[in-house]
Amino acid sequence: MRAIGLEEHFVTPELVGYGASSGSILQPDKWREASRRLLDLTGERLAEMDAAGLDMQVLSLNSPGIQAETDAGTAVAQAAAVNDLLAGVVADHPDRFAGFAALPLQDPKAAAEELERAVRELGMRGALVNAHTQGRYLDDPQLRVVWERAAGLDVPLYLHPANGVGMPHVIEGHPELVGPMWSWGMDTASHFLRLVFGGVFDDFPEAKLLLGHMGEGLPYVLWRMDSRWNYHNHHGIELARGNPSEYVRHNLYITTSGVCSAAPLLCALLALGPEHILFGTDYPFEDMATATEFLRTAPVSEADRAKIAHLNAERLLGL
């Protein structure tokens, strides 16, 4: 069975410094090893893919990527350079790699133009966004131009976590809770809900957003969200689709990246349906072979396994 991974990270020597803040989250030896593997695009990576039975990776720039850059002009140049580099890697290995573009969201109009260039000229399959951009989230009205372009191109945006703007009070004094173990998932799920209540999916009803890590917890709270939305003060906000769960089921696609556990997968299948779940390994932060073994042995039907493994990615990304 063909397997396509959608959350597969890399970095370039020019951009590696942006990840220093994330490096403090990992154990030092784990960060050194991950950093080494991030820089390797085709050598050891391809060998590991072969050993694990992973046919294709959709590569994306590691968090926080270009969004950590404070100067808009520099970000625009960096995005073009890294997308050109990625396109070259894909061109050299078209059966093994595809790519998500990096976007200079510091300049919304330039980001929209870069998305179109990356898709139409470079063959990218969408773009990956690492959380906020200097405190600006994807529901910001200035970024509607990016959503308009993504919807027009019929490509998804993949929303990936990064360190937040500030430290939530409840986490202060507990740095062990910062990062992918807890705070990143909470922040990313909240970011998606900003898009729902900020009207992005009402403005662009067919826009597509991808979340990793089995949906950052969202598939498991749908009934509760709808129940409380029908109870809460709406503060002047009304949703065209009525309930927040409708946006999760319509606009959201999730990947299994970083979650090799049957219980959340089965819950996600019941909540979203098999057409909205795709495969990912979270390489190099999770073990590729563990992820593919989970895919092969998860207690799901063979029809659903094929959708998760490759059919949904082929349909959504045109692979």
Side-chain angles (χ1 to χ4, degrees):
M1 179 177 61
R2 190 182 189 209
I4 302 172
L6 269 72
E7 190 175 317
E8 319 298 326
H9 306 292
F10 78 96
V11 77
T12 67
E14 296 79 12
L15 301 176
V16 71
Y18 289 139
S21 61
S22 298
S24 64
I25 294 170
L26 275 66
Q27 297 172 24
D29 60 326
K30 303 287 189 184
W31 178 245
R32 284 192 295 271
E33 178 63 9
S35 297
R36 183 185 68 78
R37 291 172 181 242
L38 284 167
L39 288 164
D40 169 37
L41 275 163
T42 59
E44 186 176 338
R45 184 185 299 257
L46 280 169
E48 287 198 41
M49 289 170 64
D50 290 340
L54 182 61
D55 296 278
M56 176 176 280
Q57 286 190 331
V58 184
L59 298 169
S60 53
L61 187 62
N62 189 50
S63 178
I66 287 165
Q67 289 163 262
E69 173 56 51
T70 57
D71 180 74
T74 301
V76 171
Q78 289 173 332
V82 77
N83 291 336
D84 286 345
L85 181 147
L86 179 54
V89 173
V90 172
D92 289 341
H93 303 274
D95 296 330
R96 306 309 303 274
F97 296 127
F100 285 130
L103 300 180
L105 294 168
Q106 295 87 337
D107 182 334
K109 185 176 184 299
E113 294 297 326
E114 180 60 18
L115 176 60
E116 178 147 9
R117 184 186 80 92
V119 172
R120 293 197 185 279
E121 298 180 21
L122 303 182
M124 297 295 171
R125 306 298 172 159
L128 184 136
V129 176
N130 288 298
H132 63 94
T133 304
Q134 305 300 311
R136 175 188 281 164
Y137 295 91
L138 287 171
D139 65 315
D140 190 297
Q142 293 185 56
L143 291 175
R144 287 301 199 271
V145 64
V146 176
W147 284 107
E148 181 180 27
R149 200 66 57 94
L153 293 166
D154 193 26
V155 295
L157 299 184
Y158 196 125
L159 179 58
H160 184 269
N163 286 338
V165 177
M167 181 76 68
H169 185 268
V170 70
I171 291 178
E172 285 184 4
H174 286 275
E176 71 277 9
L177 297 179
V178 175
M181 194 190 77
W182 186 250
S183 70
W184 282 10
M186 178 178 64
D187 286 352
T188 310
S190 299
H191 195 159
F192 173 79
L193 292 177
R194 288 181 65 116
L195 302 179
V196 172
F197 292 103
V200 168
F201 299 126
D202 287 342
D203 290 346
F204 305 101
E206 300 309 314
K208 301 174 181 67
L209 187 84
L210 280 154
L211 289 182
H213 318 120
M214 214 71 82
E216 310 288 9
L218 286 168
Y220 323 114
V221 294
L222 299 187
W223 190 93
R224 175 71 172 172
M225 283 198 302
D226 288 353
S227 170
R228 295 307 85 190
W229 180 239
N230 289 316
Y231 190 78
H232 274 211
N233 185 332
H234 287 194
H235 299 285
I237 295 172
E238 297 301 335
L239 300 175
R241 292 187 180 275
N243 284 322
S245 69
E246 295 300 316
Y247 298 85
V248 176
R249 293 189 174 99
H250 183 76
N251 301 100
L252 181 64
Y253 295 78
I254 71 171
T255 75
T256 64
S257 65
V259 182
C260 298
S261 174
L265 174 59
L266 294 175
C267 187
L269 279 166
L270 288 171
L272 306 182
E275 288 77 16
H276 280 245
I277 305 174
L278 300 89
F279 181 62
T281 75
D282 210 352
Y283 181 87
F285 303 105
E286 296 284 354
D287 180 65
M288 200 185 296
T290 299
T292 54
E293 178 66 12
F294 168 65
L295 175 65
R296 286 191 292 268
T297 60
V300 300
S301 72
E302 292 308 311
D304 287 351
R305 194 185 322 277
K307 290 176 183 177
I308 295 167
H310 67 98
L311 292 175
N312 290 338
E314 290 165 355
R315 171 177 53 84
L316 187 66
L317 306 183
L319 294 171

